[in-house]
Amino acid sequence: MKRRFLPTEIIFATTGFCNLSCSHCYVKKTTEKLDISLANSFLKSCKDTSISKVGFSGGEPLLYPQFIQEISKQAVDLDLLFGRIMTNGFWWNDTKTLTATLKGIYKSGFDGKFGLSLIIFMDNQ
């Protein structure tokens, strides 16, 4: 039997930028951002393939919410499901930013999960 490569999910690494330096992370930190129009074109090319889900990682993807919003709108138009947004959970500076960003992502159609990736060090005093 011949094996075929049939991926089911696209995980976009939205940006290399991150506000933390976690020891478990091997993402090369850069200020680069994935181009939204190129990502949308790529997503369109996945129509009628084995791809059924879209997810987001980084760097810290929530530092580039415009990307998540635009790609989420496209994914909804293509009848794709959502996987998750992998976040460190420490990307926001104030409640106003947190609320506005999450509302914008929700309004774009994203209804997936949020995965939290971080290491917490406890003081053994």
Side-chain angles (χ1 to χ4, degrees):
M1 174 185 251
K2 188 175 184 178
R3 292 179 126 184
R4 294 178 53 193
F5 177 64
L6 296 172
T8 59
E9 183 174 5
I10 297 170
I11 301 174
F12 287 104
T14 63
T15 179
F17 182 69
C18 186
N19 56 321
L20 298 180
S21 296
C22 299
S23 61
H24 68 279
C25 181
Y26 295 101
V27 173
K28 182 180 176 185
K29 288 178 97 171
T30 69
T31 58
E32 294 180 64
K33 294 179 177 181
L34 192 54
D35 183 88
I36 293 171
S37 62
L38 288 175
N40 264 329
S41 294
F42 177 75
L43 195 58
K44 285 179 190 176
S45 75
C46 294
K47 181 78 173 154
D48 300 321
T49 68
S50 59
I51 301 297
S52 61
K53 283 187 186 177
V54 177
F56 304 95
S57 70
E60 174 49 60
L62 291 169
L63 293 175
Y64 189 20
Q66 301 86 352
F67 183 93
I68 296 171
Q69 292 171 9
E70 292 303 315
I71 299 302
S72 292
K73 289 175 191 174
Q74 179 75 332
V76 168
D77 288 346
L78 295 170
D79 292 323
L80 297 172
L81 303 172
F82 292 103
R84 70 185 48 138
I85 298 173
M86 288 303 299
T87 178
N88 64 36
F90 292 98
W91 54 270
W92 53 282
N93 294 322
D94 54 59
T95 305
K96 184 178 178 181
T97 302
L98 172 69
T99 303
T101 301
L102 294 180
K103 278 185 179 180
I105 291 170
Y106 174 76
K107 287 180 181 179
S108 71
F110 182 85
D111 64 356
K113 300 174 183 177
F114 283 80
L116 190 58
S117 176
L118 67 108
I119 292 178
I120 299 175
F121 295 95
M122 305 289 286
D123 188 4
N124 293 333
Q125 291 184 2

